Amino acid sequence: MITLKEAMALPKEEIAALKQDLRQKIEAKKDLGAYVEQLTGSEIAEFGEGVPIAVKDNIQVKGWNVTSASNILQGYVAPYNATVIDKMLANGLAPFGRTNMDEFAMGSSTETSFYGKTRNPHNPDRVPGGSSGGSAAAVAGGIAIAALGSDTGGSIRQPAAFCGCVGMKPTYGKVSRYGLGAYSSSLDQIGPITQNVEDAAILYDIIAGHEPKDSTSVNIPHKKVSDKIDPNRKLTIAVIDNYMEEAGEEVRNAILNAIKALEDAGHKIVHKNMINSKYDVATYYIIATAEASTNLSRYDGVRYGNRAPSENLKEMYLKTRSEGFGEEVKRRILLGTFVLSSGYYDAYYIKAQKARHLIKAQFESIFEEADLIFMPVSPTPAFAFGSKKDPLEMYLSDIYTIAVNLAGLPAISLPVGTSSDGLPIGAQFVAKAFDEQTLFDGASSLENILK
Ligand code: GLN
């Protein structure tokens, strides 16, 4: 597939042909289920003119049926564009196709979607990762030039790693959340999923920047990074020794090889340890579910999407929410409501906020000595459908990605190897807040080394 950079250089007349070609490819690869339209048998959703970019089903595009892959939002039509969409349109890009996802971005495999399965382009029996599994499968499957995803606890980086493409999560506040279906507001960020590091930087530059309509959007001028990427810059890179113990053998070997390659290329490697990742998981699943339980209270049958036929108001709330939400979403609403309830607030929610502070502080102390941190994205390559039936087991697959969101830092995942059965293995760089330039410099260096 043509890269984003190449597509953006095409004369306007050729974009229509590009879209037509893409439509045919999407039709031919229907079984991938990367797009909601492939699963529902409908026409690819389009808006405006420009280079086609696939959009996760939780980002508002005016006139589109945007549903966060949930039953409760069936029939909802977005009345406005998310800020990222307006920015794309202003820069010659156009939303093209809704990508499948875990319901309300809750999951790590895209298995909780109302629409059904998305398959991993490298092996149809494996999950594409999640929650932005559709976006990653579309890019890796050659049926999207680039895509937008959202990352609350790894949902851009992990599916990118599972599918063998590049996924980038910006610093919290760099990309506006205006028009993003809220999961956990203090963690969510929209970001690019692309075929290579430079394309990720190009798309990031387009969607980043201040948005007055979003109180969590930082009001500092955006400095373009994609035209200044320097793969030859020598960096100090911290590797997290105790994280390697929890990784499966093939992932560990691929990461160790990449570390060796970085060192041979002249980067300085320093060895560090981080707080046991089980505390990250506990902290994340308290904060994320607490915020989700309040964010999802707006889906009550009155204002959005589906409404269950009922005799009275109370019954309408109960029936709409019982029928509309899937099992995983309900589990999280219950968990979040529990940790916020008056008897348990101090024991869980406040404690989690303190732990979050510690997690952030540990990154800051590592960044006193290092420009970047390099670590795994997931303990294993893409797993089989249905193989993580216990929700806790699924949550544990997020051990390497969620601390980054708790600390609000930028990170990028890129392919570093292949497992013995042909599945991609990814690794991620993490940078200081607002230091996306160094993030792309390091990622581009590694991408070149491994070419
Ligand atoms: N897997 C994590 C969760 O289920 C992360 C999801 C995300 O980043 N949206 O919450």
Side-chain angles (χ1 to χ4, degrees):
M1 174 60 65
I2 182 172
T3 66
L4 178 59
K5 191 183 184 182
E6 289 161 355
M8 288 178 75
L10 288 177
K12 264 205 174 104
E13 312 81 72
E14 285 181 37
I15 304 287
L18 184 65
K19 284 187 176 168
Q20 197 42 40
D21 175 55
L22 205 48
R23 263 188 222 100
Q24 280 164 6
K25 288 191 166 121
I26 292 170
E27 178 60 31
K29 289 206 176 173
K30 228 176 169 164
D31 292 349
L32 214 48
Y35 290 90
V36 170
E37 292 92 336
Q38 290 179 314
L39 294 160
T40 55
S42 40
E43 291 276 304
I44 287 288
E46 284 186 65
F47 186 96
E49 282 169 22
V51 172
I53 305 291
V55 177
K56 188 174 179 178
D57 190 38
N58 61 353
I59 298 172
Q60 305 268 314
V61 179
K62 194 173 175 179
W64 283 19
N65 183 212
V66 176
T67 70
S68 284
S70 180
N71 186 15
I72 210 161
L73 275 170
Q74 296 307 306
Y76 170 77
V77 176
Y80 63 91
N81 281 334
T83 302
V84 293
I85 299 299
D86 279 336
K87 284 183 182 288
M88 287 203 319
L89 290 164
N91 284 279
L93 310 185
F96 190 86
R98 297 155 58 200
T99 56
N100 200 25
M101 57 184 281
D102 280 298
E103 186 180 1
F104 285 106
M106 297 172 180
S108 315
S109 64
T110 311
E111 289 170 292
T112 71
S113 166
F114 169 69
Y115 300 106
K117 273 189 189 133
T118 297
R119 297 179 186 277
N120 191 307
H122 297 269
N123 180 338
D125 300 327
R126 300 294 172 114
V127 302
S131 63
S132 313
S135 291
V139 171
I143 52 172
I145 295 167
L148 291 182
S150 67
D151 192 311
T152 305
S155 280
I156 288 176
R157 289 161 288 150
Q158 184 257 24
F162 278 15
C163 292
C165 41
V166 171
M168 187 256 175
K169 178 226 167 263
T171 306
Y172 185 77
K174 269 305 298 184
V175 173
S176 174
R177 296 183 300 107
Y178 184 73
L180 169 69
Y183 164 12
S184 179
S185 311
S186 76
L187 302 164
D188 299 339
Q189 273 290 287
I190 298 171
I193 296 184
T194 55
Q195 302 170 58
N196 60 53
V197 173
E198 189 182 21
D199 277 1
I202 291 170
L203 190 47
Y204 162 73
D205 272 336
I206 289 173
I207 61 174
H210 182 54
E211 167 57 84
K213 292 197 283 286
D214 173 358
S215 63
T216 62
S217 159
V218 287
N219 193 358
I220 43 174
H222 175 65
K223 275 205 209 103
K224 205 170 171 189
V225 291
S226 57
D227 55 352
K228 292 187 227 34
I229 297 177
D230 179 5
N232 298 315
R233 198 173 140 202
K234 300 297 171 237
L235 300 163
T236 302
I237 299 170
V239 298
I240 310 302
D241 289 337
N242 63 322
Y243 270 16
M244 301 311 281
E245 293 151 21
E246 292 150 327
E249 199 184 330
E250 288 195 302
V251 170
R252 185 163 58 235
N253 289 338
I255 303 281
L256 291 175
N257 286 340
I259 293 171
K260 173 91 179 32
L262 286 165
E263 198 164 22
D264 290 346
H267 296 291
K268 184 177 170 206
I269 304 292
V270 294
H271 292 266
K272 295 283 170 190
N273 285 309
M274 299 230 291
I275 301 173
N276 189 311
S277 62
K278 72 179 183 200
Y279 298 111
D280 300 344
V281 177
T283 306
Y284 172 85
Y285 278 95
I286 290 170
I287 291 173
T289 56
E291 293 184 13
S293 73
T294 68
N295 273 328
L296 268 54
S297 66
R298 73 188 61 163
Y299 304 107
D300 55 5
V302 178
R303 287 167 292 186
Y304 307 94
N306 249 339
R307 173 182 302 169
S310 328
E311 298 288 310
N312 56 53
L313 187 65
K314 190 172 173 196
E315 190 186 304
M316 182 188 75
Y317 290 152
L318 279 171
K319 277 174 76 180
T320 300
R321 288 172 67 85
S322 300
E323 290 167 15
F325 289 132
E327 199 185 318
E328 183 58 29
V329 174
K330 283 181 193 159
R331 179 178 298 115
R332 295 190 186 207
I333 292 173
L334 286 175
L335 209 62
T337 309
F338 173 77
V339 298
L340 288 177
S341 61
S342 62
Y344 296 99
Y345 187 81
D346 290 338
Y348 295 106
Y349 186 70
I350 294 293
K351 207 174 209 170
Q353 293 294 1
K354 289 180 182 165
R356 181 176 191 173
H357 192 79
L358 278 180
I359 290 161
K360 189 162 179 275
Q362 93 177 331
F363 277 112
E364 278 159 11
S365 101
I366 294 174
F367 284 130
E368 280 173 15
E369 270 178 69
D371 302 304
L372 290 173
I373 298 174
F374 183 66
M375 57 175 165
V377 177
S378 170
T380 64
F383 43 86
F385 289 101
S387 63
K388 292 194 194 299
K389 289 231 160 48
D390 176 358
L392 286 178
E393 212 189 304
M394 186 72 88
Y395 300 170
L396 283 174
S397 68
D398 299 333
I399 51 174
Y400 297 128
T401 48
I402 53 193
V404 165
N405 301 69
L406 289 166
L409 302 174
I412 187 166
S413 100
L414 70 160
V416 295
T418 311
S419 73
S420 54
D421 44 7
L423 293 165
I425 296 173
Q428 61 180 331
F429 285 104
V430 185
K432 289 171 203 156
F434 305 110
D435 195 6
E436 273 82 0
Q437 188 68 61
T438 304
L439 189 73
F440 285 114
D441 289 348
S444 157
S445 168
L446 183 59
E447 184 183 50
N448 282 351
I449 298 166
L450 297 177
K451 241 179 211 159

